[in-house]
């Protein structure tokens, strides 16, 4: 089992920045992909970014690439999402998730942290 706790959300003006953190605990000795997802009210959950904790390879959808950066600190079992040039449409509940490298689905989820971007 892996437990994930997100932090760092808040209210920011358009054009501003936030850094989200995801602290992992439990059985973190396996090879994992860590991902960030977001869900706005009335919308489906969207993939934002992911990183392979074992080699640092990152993945982004085209709509995100360039503004958000995912990184990890394996010594702290923490993954970060640096978000720059935030837009009102980035407003959502941001979730951290984890999946083993042998799994096709994200099996572990945090409770989320709210990001609100005002215009």
């Amino acid at each position: 089992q892996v437990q994930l706790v997100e932090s760092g959300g808040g209210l920011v003006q358009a054009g501003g920045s936030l850094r989200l953190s995801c602290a992992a605990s439990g059985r973190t000795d396996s090879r994992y992909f860590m991902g960030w997802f977001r869900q706005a009210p009335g919308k489906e959950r969207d993939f934002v970014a992911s990183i392979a904790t074992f080699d640092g390879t990152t993945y982004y959808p085209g709509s995100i690439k360039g503004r958000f950066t995912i990184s990890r600190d394996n010594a702290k079992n923490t993954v970060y999402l640096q978000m720059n040039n935030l837009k009102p449409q980035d407003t959502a509940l941001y979730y951290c998730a984890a999946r083993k490298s042998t799994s096709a689905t994200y099996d572990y989820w945090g409770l989320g942290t709210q990001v609100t971007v005002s215009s």
Side-chain angles (χ1 to χ4, degrees), residues 27-78:
R27 295 205 58 179
T28 58
D29 55 328
S30 298
R31 293 159 59 94
Y32 281 94
F33 288 91
M34 300 292 295
W36 286 98
F37 294 77
R38 66 185 182 185
Q39 187 167 21
K43 295 189 177 181
E44 294 186 352
R45 187 166 55 197
D46 292 330
F47 169 69
V48 174
S50 70
I51 187 166
T53 59
F54 45 91
D55 68 5
T57 303
T58 58
Y59 306 88
Y60 304 92
S63 60
I64 294 293
K65 201 168 187 178
R67 293 195 299 125
F68 294 3
T69 302
I70 190 171
S71 61
R72 94 281 195 210
D73 184 336
N74 287 346
K76 296 182 178 179
N77 285 334
T78 299

Side-chain angles (χ1 to χ4, degrees), residues 1 23 35 40 43 45 50 53-54 62 67 86-87 89 94 97 104 115 117 119:
Q1 289 287 341
K43 295 189 177 181
R45 187 166 55 197
S50 70
T53 59
F54 45 91
R67 293 195 299 125
L86 283 161
K87 306 175 187 297
Q89 53 264 44
Y94 283 71
V115 172
V117 184
S119 56

